[in-house]
Amino acid sequence: MLANPRAGAWLLAGALLLPAMACSDGPGGDDLTVFAASSLTDVLPELVEAYEAAAGTGVSLVFGGSNHLAAQLRDGAPADAFLTADARLVSTSVGAVRFGTNRVVLAVPAGNPARISSTASLADERLRVAVCAIDVPCGAATHALGLPVAADTEEPSVRAVASRLSLGEADVGVVYETDIRAVDGIDGVPGVDLPPSVVEYWAESLTADGDRFVSYLHSDAAIKILHDHGFDA
Amino acid sequence: MRRLLLTLAGLAVVLLVLPILGLLQRMPWSSLPDLLADDVTLDALRVSLVVSLIAAMFVLVLGTPLAWALGRTDLPGRRIVRALVVLPMVLPPVVGGTALLFALGRRGLVGQWLDRWFGLTLPFTLSGAIVAATFVALPFYVIAVEGALRTARRELDDLEGIASTLGAPPFTVLRRITLPRLLPAMGAGLALAWARALGEFGATITFAGNLPGRTQTLPLATFLALQSEPERALALSLVMLVVALAVLLPMRDRWLPGR
């Protein structure tokens, strides 16, 4: 096959070295690495920018489903702090702190084409209803509402529900209050209130550098940013 | 040289088999019977089998004529069509699912008319999951059969010509000459396409959504279980592994190349 065995050896050496080189600039160094739940996608960059300016260190953000991130952390992924919407995933005994809350609300495509006007629409078989799967925090919060829901799809993340609505594939759905503000193409339904079902955000520090970031979340500046994005802090 | 090649081959086997061992080593054997017998697993298994088998049927019915058109005719534009046909193999399935949504979704290019005229919408339905599975699986079958047709083109031309000259009607030529020579490739292609449909995840969750009992296939159930109940995810993976092996192993000698 290969005419020259030496060429084969070089090829092999190259193949083995390339991934090693690609890894060398991963998380680590002076930067802080923060693992965060995907529902924080819009607020965190702004928070981090403020923190970087105040603390003088860079922060790299890794977004994902809370449970995936927690599993990665268990398997030794390098992170300084972990921000999640699932209190069960952090060790609240050793310094994890609550830094904000969010709640689930009824959402419709922009302009409310199906003229949704009550929570009963969630149980309407003729409507397309999108909610989060119960396996993820927004799904657990939706389930905790105790309302009858005739779901047509149970999405793996709250942003997937938002996208079903913004694309007009679903007529009505349940998302976080903050998503109404952050996602184009979806509206809330004024005057229709769901029973209160609150999701708490927790931050766990994993290193000494992480401590500083986590305590920053309780600063006035951070609370203002969280408020601006619709979180209660 | 031989040693180097064997080492690399061994490395390839390790890369392919190691993850399976990892899966089996973490398998919750004691709670397995309960996990396997509950509704989530059984529903997902049923949806997966229905979706992948119907998709395989569509692949056979649509893919065979397409392979013939690409491999045995001189139609103009064949090359472009051939490139387009392989596209779903190269595209990330999530992109495929998004494309399907923009084409066949309720506000999609064609989908809005399906909805308006026939009240037919594909997203969030079993049919939608079948469309997604067919979309990703079709190329595997088409290139297998088309390759066989092109390789055997001259032989087929000769034999079919002789048969026709001897007075065999077209259907007899097809049944006695063409099909027997294509069967191994068709079987291999179909097995691959079915396996691809069974394992399909990205296009399905993007286009058809996820609802237990309707559109939640085994891969979707596995992905969601991984978020909350890793043990269930392992059990579901085992079901997929067993179903795939049960179908692919008996076919190995008869259909898959390299007997």
Side-chain angles (χ1 to χ4, degrees):
Chain A
M1 222 188 74
L2 286 170
N4 180 352
R6 199 172 288 169
W10 276 113
L11 215 64
L12 178 60
L16 292 177
L17 271 178
L18 266 177
M21 276 155 39
C23 285
S24 64
D25 63 347
D30 294 339
D31 273 8
L32 210 63
T33 302
V34 175
F35 278 25
S38 36
S39 50
L40 297 167
T41 306
D42 294 285
V43 65
L44 262 194
E46 199 175 320
L47 261 176
V48 156
E49 208 172 296
Y51 176 76
E52 284 172 333
T57 48
V59 177
S60 30
L61 288 168
V62 178
F63 290 107
S66 289
N67 296 278
H68 272 287
L69 294 175
Q72 286 178 22
L73 290 175
R74 273 198 301 277
D75 290 340
D80 300 288
F82 176 40
L83 275 48
T84 171
D86 191 340
R88 291 169 304 173
L89 294 175
V90 293
S91 32
T92 44
S93 53
V94 290
V97 296
R98 201 179 74 165
F99 69 93
T101 60
N102 209 341
R103 55 188 209 100
V104 291
V105 296
L106 213 59
V108 293
N112 196 357
R115 302 200 181 141
I116 304 299
S117 59
S118 87
T119 55
S121 57
L122 286 176
D124 191 334
E125 295 283 352
R126 289 161 303 173
L127 294 170
R128 300 287 160 123
V129 180
V131 293
C132 286
I134 191 164
D135 311 78
V136 292
C138 61
T142 307
H143 186 74
L145 294 170
L147 293 173
V149 175
D152 286 281
T153 181
E154 298 174 359
E155 298 289 327
S157 82
V158 70
R159 285 303 163 91
V161 174
S163 126
R164 295 296 184 198
L165 293 166
S166 67
L167 291 176
E169 293 298 340
D171 300 307
V172 58
V174 177
V175 300
Y176 288 136
E177 193 172 24
T178 51
D179 296 312
I180 303 276
R181 203 175 301 208
V183 179
D184 285 339
I186 68 172
D187 286 345
V189 188
V192 178
D193 283 326
L194 290 179
S197 179
V198 168
V199 175
E200 301 183 334
Y201 289 90
W202 288 80
E204 182 177 18
S205 154
L206 306 163
T207 64
D209 287 340
D211 284 346
R212 290 178 62 197
F213 181 76
V214 168
S215 23
Y216 178 77
L217 293 173
H218 280 163
S219 69
D220 291 344
I223 289 172
K224 180 174 185 311
I225 294 173
L226 285 163
H227 275 204
D228 287 349
H229 283 267
F231 293 88
D232 288 321
Chain B
M1 190 65 225
R2 184 184 156 81
R3 192 174 296 170
L4 175 68
L5 289 180
L6 283 179
T7 311
L8 290 176
L11 218 60
V13 173
V14 168
L15 180 65
L16 293 174
V17 174
L18 197 62
I20 311 279
L21 291 180
L23 205 64
L24 293 177
Q25 161 255 327
R26 289 284 290 272
M27 197 62 67
W29 298 107
S30 55
S31 49
L32 207 52
D34 291 338
L35 287 174
L36 292 183
D38 79 5
D39 285 349
V40 176
T41 311
L42 294 179
D43 277 348
L45 176 64
R46 181 175 52 80
V47 172
S48 259
L49 288 176
V50 168
V51 167
S52 65
L53 290 173
I54 296 183
M57 198 188 72
F58 277 116
V59 162
L60 184 71
V61 171
L62 299 174
T64 313
L66 178 57
W68 167 80
L70 290 175
R72 293 212 66 199
T73 66
D74 294 314
L75 293 173
R78 260 174 318 141
R79 278 158 192 262
I80 297 167
V81 174
R82 192 178 292 134
L84 289 176
V85 163
V86 232
L87 209 53
M89 285 174 92
V90 192
L91 280 181
V94 175
V95 175
T98 311
L100 283 172
L101 208 52
F102 288 140
L104 299 172
R106 194 151 65 154
R107 291 188 189 168
L109 189 63
V110 175
Q112 56 178 317
W113 304 109
L114 291 180
D115 186 23
R116 209 167 297 174
W117 291 343
F118 309 108
L120 192 74
T121 50
L122 285 171
F124 315 142
T125 63
L126 186 74
S127 313
I130 294 170
V131 169
T134 309
F135 175 80
V136 295
L138 192 56
F140 288 84
Y141 177 78
V142 173
I143 56 170
V145 176
E146 193 223 339
L149 273 171
R150 286 213 280 175
T151 313
R153 185 165 189 167
R154 181 162 296 167
E155 186 194 347
L156 284 174
D157 281 346
D158 289 349
L159 290 175
E160 287 170 0
I162 293 166
S164 304
T165 319
L166 294 176
F171 184 72
T172 310
V173 175
L174 182 71
R175 194 169 55 84
R176 301 281 298 275
I177 307 283
T178 320
L179 277 183
R181 274 162 188 77
L182 275 187
L183 270 184
M186 288 170 68
L190 203 59
L192 279 177
W194 172 79
R196 179 66 189 84
L198 183 75
E200 164 42 38
F201 171 76
T204 310
I205 201 163
T206 319
F207 180 58
N210 169 64
L211 190 71
R214 202 196 294 169
T215 51
Q216 187 178 73
T217 56
L218 283 168
L220 269 57
T222 310
F223 176 72
L224 279 155
L226 209 49
Q227 319 250 339
S228 60
E229 221 185 329
E231 296 206 328
R232 179 184 297 281
L234 286 163
L236 287 162
S237 313
L238 186 68
V239 177
M240 293 229 10
L241 211 60
V242 170
V243 173
L245 285 179
V247 174
L248 294 180
L249 276 187
M251 289 191 146
R252 171 194 55 181
D253 297 323
R254 251 207 297 176
W255 301 124
L256 295 183
R259 34 195 130 162

